[in-house]
Amino acid sequence: MADAVVLVSGGAAVTPFTDPDRASGSGLAAGNTLTALRAHLLERGAAVFTAPARIGDGEVREDAGWQGFADAPVVLPAEMTVNAVGGIDEGGARLAAFLRWLGEEHGFTEVDLVAHSMGGLFSRAAIRHLQGAGPSVHRLLTLGTPWEGSLLGDVLTGEISANDAAGDEGTAQILERSRSYAAENSQGAADQVSRRFLREWNATQVGVLDTITVTAIGAGHSIFFADAFGLPWERALTWDPEVFAVVDDALQARTGGIR
């Protein structure tokens, strides 16, 4: 394992900065996406940090939304805080700034990144932005990251339409709500998780991961879906003990390449 494990949340997430000893004083310690995964890795003895993220530009102090938090222990500047509804490269630049600060503050020379959903794209962009200035990334683990596109992005670009619901009312509602949510919240993120955008963006990333061990864990739903459908949170991707076991194995693996 590297000097530290950094958890990176995905699109539209609000996450406070946490370190191994400090987390939010009330609510979910590391936000609704990363709290359970952080707790698991701390129990395993890892030095775990969460990268700050919010909806829009600015600092992270609290999340007054669904299952949020308050009393963030350390508030980092906006330049180190990912705009979780913004563009991939902009988010990557801010994540890279955070990783440089983390390396300088703690003397880390190498980190592992564990990223959820769009956080995997932010992480890939951050690795490109680092270019040797800051700690090196030893491993990248992505959980449900849309490497080649997503439903939300493809709805916005028209690659998926209401006709693709094939008359299923539930699917039609998901497609329409995806469009409405993106219109209300996205500042570039939704458009950039489409197949159309990522086909070109992936070409700019050629070679970036050549020296990094990559583990891509497949698609799965979030606790927002779990709650909406009355499912236990432990079946959500970043709360699932079975997923944690895969993460543990990947962090301990000595072999390189993509798995």
Side-chain angles (χ1 to χ4, degrees):
M1 195 176 292
D3 298 330
V5 178
V6 178
L7 306 184
V8 184
S9 52
V14 183
T15 304
F17 166 72
T18 72
D19 62 25
D21 302 311
R22 296 173 295 181
S24 295
S26 59
L28 293 175
N32 55 50
T33 300
L34 298 178
T35 290
L37 181 56
R38 172 182 180 268
H40 169 79
L41 291 172
L42 286 175
E43 289 175 1
R44 302 281 292 180
V48 184
F49 297 79
T50 57
R54 55 167 284 144
I55 296 176
D57 292 325
E59 302 171 341
V60 179
R61 298 179 180 275
E62 64 178 4
D63 177 12
W66 184 79
Q67 299 293 341
F69 60 85
D71 304 319
V74 176
V75 177
L76 296 177
E79 292 77 14
M80 299 181 197
T81 302
V82 174
N83 177 358
V85 293
I88 296 170
D89 286 312
E90 294 87 346
R94 294 186 180 189
L95 178 57
F98 167 73
L99 294 173
R100 291 190 194 102
W101 171 81
L102 199 65
E104 294 168 359
E105 187 78 4
H106 295 275
F108 298 148
T109 60
E110 187 177 71
V111 298
D112 291 333
L113 301 181
V114 180
H116 174 241
S117 191
M118 193 174 180
L121 301 178
F122 293 141
S123 296
R124 290 172 60 197
I127 293 167
R128 191 184 78 245
H129 281 291
L130 283 172
Q131 295 181 336
S136 63
V137 176
H138 184 209
R139 295 179 179 85
L140 170 63
L141 284 69
T142 65
L143 312 178
T145 290
W147 287 70
E148 296 182 329
S150 70
L151 171 68
L152 178 60
D154 292 345
V155 166
L156 289 183
T157 60
E159 293 194 44
I160 293 177
S161 70
N163 292 333
D164 293 305
D168 182 79
E169 184 177 346
T171 302
Q173 283 187 350
I174 290 173
L175 294 178
E176 182 54 38
R177 289 178 181 177
S178 295
R179 186 183 298 277
S180 299
Y181 183 84
E184 293 174 6
N185 296 284
S186 177
Q187 298 173 15
D191 306 79
Q192 293 189 7
V193 291
S194 67
R195 282 179 288 181
R196 182 178 300 171
F197 179 88
L198 287 173
R199 275 194 292 264
E200 296 184 9
W201 185 80
N202 281 328
T204 70
Q205 293 289 116
V206 172
V208 170
L209 300 178
D210 283 356
T211 63
I212 297 171
T213 300
V214 178
T215 301
I217 299 174
H221 60 73
S222 69
I223 58 170
F224 293 90
F225 280 92
D227 194 74
F229 288 98
L231 301 173
W233 283 16
E234 290 78 8
R235 305 314 301 171
L237 195 58
T238 59
W239 288 70
D240 189 338
E242 293 183 13
V243 174
F244 296 169
V246 178
V247 171
D248 290 343
D249 289 343
L251 289 175
Q252 297 298 331
R254 297 182 181 276
T255 55
I258 296 177
R259 305 197 301 164

